[in-house]
Amino acid sequence: TTKTYTTFRLVLKFSTYTTEYAQAQQWFLLVDKDRSGSIQASELAGIKFNSKPLGMQVAAKLIKVFDRDGSESIEFKEYCVLHKFLLTMQSAFFQADKDRSGTIDANEIYIALSSAGFQVSYQTIQAIVKKFDKSSRGLDFSTFLYLCAHLAHIRSIYEWNDTNRRGFVTFTYDALVHVGTDILNFETT
C-alpha cells in the first residue's frame, strides 16, 4: 500500500515497506518520549541538530505549522511531513553554509530558501534577515528553521486565500486584518 501526505508543497509517498517510511517511524518513536502516539512541542524541542537542541520556541512554531488537525501535537502522518520538511531545511542550510561556520548570512539564506522551495526576492530576504538575525552574525540552524516555519505559515495563508490558484490574492481590509492577526498570533505563541 502507498500512503500520500501533502502540505507545504511537500508530497510524501510512502510504501509501508520503504526505507524512508521505516526511518520516519524510527524517528517518530525516538521523539515520542512518552509513547502517547503523538509528539508535543516539549518532546520536539529536544531534537538536536549540530549538537544543539531546537528549543521550545522553534518546536512550538513547528507544531503550529504541521498540526493539521488542531490537536496541538503531531500525529505520525503529520510527523512524516514535518520530518521531510526538517530534512529538506537541514540539507538547504548545510549546502548554503559554504564556510561551515554553522551560521548563514543573507546571501546564503537566499540560496538556502530558494533551494528549499521558498521563492522570495533578495530584497525580501534582507528585510527578513533584519527581523530574525538579532546578533548580525547570521542565522544558526535553529533560527533558520524558525524563519522557515514562519515563511511556511505565511505561504499556507496565501495558498488558502488563492482558491483559484491564479498566483495572487485580493484582500478586503477586514480579511487583511484577519490574516495579519493570524500571522501575529503565530509570532507571539
Side-chain angles (χ1 to χ4, degrees):
T1 44
T2 299
K3 298 181 182 185
T4 304
Y5 308 115
T6 307
T7 190
F8 308 114
R9 296 188 189 147
L10 295 175
V11 178
L12 306 176
K13 291 187 180 183
F14 289 119
S15 166
T16 51
Y17 302 106
T18 65
T19 305
E20 190 174 16
Y21 185 82
Q23 181 188 31
Q25 282 183 315
Q26 280 183 314
W27 279 98
F28 183 84
L29 292 173
L30 287 173
V31 177
D32 183 19
K33 302 251 186 253
D34 65 3
R35 300 293 180 249
S36 65
S38 63
I39 296 172
Q40 310 295 319
S42 58
E43 294 170 311
L44 192 59
I47 292 178
K48 292 184 180 181
F49 288 93
N50 208 18
S51 301
K52 293 182 185 176
L54 283 181
M56 196 59 187
Q57 183 182 34
V58 176
K61 299 301 180 203
L62 290 170
I63 295 289
K64 184 161 182 146
V65 171
F66 289 92
D67 174 22
R68 302 296 287 171
D69 63 6
S71 65
E72 297 183 5
S73 63
I74 300 292
E75 315 301 322
F76 179 67
K77 70 178 185 175
E78 295 165 327
Y79 179 78
C80 288
V81 180
L82 170 61
H83 183 79
K84 186 70 169 183
F85 180 81
L86 290 172
L87 293 176
T88 301
M89 297 309 115
Q90 182 181 30
S91 176
F93 180 89
F94 289 112
Q95 286 178 6
D97 184 18
K98 300 285 186 209
D99 63 0
R100 300 293 176 243
S101 65
T103 61
I104 55 177
D105 63 22
N107 292 326
E108 293 169 320
I109 292 167
Y110 179 74
I111 291 166
L113 289 174
S114 295
S115 74
F118 292 102
Q119 302 304 315
V120 291
S121 69
Y122 186 73
Q123 291 77 17
T124 300
I125 296 300
Q126 288 176 316
I128 291 169
V129 168
K130 285 180 185 175
K131 177 166 178 54
F132 286 88
D133 186 8
K134 307 284 189 221
S135 69
S136 299
R137 287 183 251 146
L139 302 183
D140 62 8
F141 179 70
S142 183
T143 307
F144 174 73
L145 197 54
Y146 183 81
L147 163 78
C148 291
H150 179 72
L151 291 176
H153 182 238
I154 292 171
R155 181 166 59 195
S156 291
I157 292 170
Y158 176 82
E159 289 175 350
W160 295 332
N161 286 281
D162 185 18
T163 55
N164 295 325
R165 304 293 178 241
R166 296 180 300 184
F168 65 91
V169 294
T170 304
F171 291 108
T172 64
Y173 176 72
D174 187 61
L176 181 60
V177 169
H178 183 79
V179 167
T181 302
D182 191 29
I183 292 169
L184 285 174
N185 285 340
F186 183 77
E187 279 299 298
T188 58
T189 57

